[in-house]
Amino acid sequence: MIRTRSKRVLFVAPQAFPDQLLAEYDNVKHIFAVTAIFPSIHEIKPDVILFDHAHMAGNLERVLRRLQANPFYKHIKICCYKRNESITADAMLKVLGVDHMIYQADLQKTAKSNTTLNAINNLVNASLLRLMAGVV
């Protein structure tokens, strides 16, 4: 379940993600086409956008630059899911406007608690993240 702080979430991930798992969420919109990102932003006006780094491939930098350049998108929090941590790539994504990085290894750590995971849990519920990790 999405927490109340995240009223509307735009989820950009592969089409292989099972749509029936998101059917009960009326505040999460799942898209898989890169061309549908900006029309969807204008349609639902999301509070959070969650990108799958592997799915976005070369388009992520272009999309992030567009989001950062337009003041209309200033209030949107951007999260990025990655399989592995990469210091240089992650630093570039942070500069381009990514607020939170979510790694597959972080999702598997249930015993440890740190400030990054607490911030992510305030935005998106762990159950949605577990579903996303199962797809990749």
Side-chain angles (χ1 to χ4, degrees):
M1 178 73 63
I2 303 299
R3 299 195 185 234
T4 57
R5 284 185 161 179
S6 302
K7 295 181 176 98
R8 294 173 304 270
V9 177
L10 182 62
F11 180 51
V12 183
Q15 187 175 4
F17 191 81
D19 289 330
Q20 67 271 16
L21 296 175
L22 293 176
E24 65 187 59
Y25 299 112
D26 56 349
N27 56 348
V28 176
K29 181 171 183 176
H30 174 230
I31 61 170
F32 48 87
V34 175
T35 57
I37 292 173
F38 290 99
S40 297
I41 289 174
H42 288 283
E43 178 185 333
I44 67 170
K45 295 178 179 40
D47 299 313
V48 176
I49 300 176
L50 183 59
F51 291 109
D52 183 359
H53 185 265
H55 175 67
M56 292 295 291
N59 295 319
L60 186 60
E61 182 178 347
R62 183 180 56 84
V63 170
L64 291 174
R65 287 185 189 277
R66 185 172 172 186
L67 287 171
Q68 188 178 21
N70 194 333
F72 176 78
Y73 308 120
K74 184 192 287 187
H75 73 280
I76 299 173
K77 300 289 182 193
I78 299 172
C79 300
C80 186
Y81 170 79
K82 289 182 69 179
R83 285 185 156 208
N84 300 319
E85 187 174 356
S86 170
I87 295 171
T88 55
D90 295 348
M92 185 189 74
L93 290 174
K94 290 279 188 183
V95 167
L96 291 174
V98 174
D99 297 309
H100 300 286
M101 298 296 293
I102 305 166
Y103 303 106
Q104 187 171 8
D106 291 340
L107 297 177
Q108 296 170 352
K109 295 177 189 173
T110 56
K112 288 188 174 182
S113 174
N114 62 29
T115 57
T116 304
L117 288 178
N118 290 336
I120 296 299
N121 285 332
N122 288 337
L123 295 174
V124 182
N125 189 347
S127 63
L128 181 62
L129 294 177
R130 275 189 242 115
L131 294 174
M132 187 176 165
V135 171
V136 179

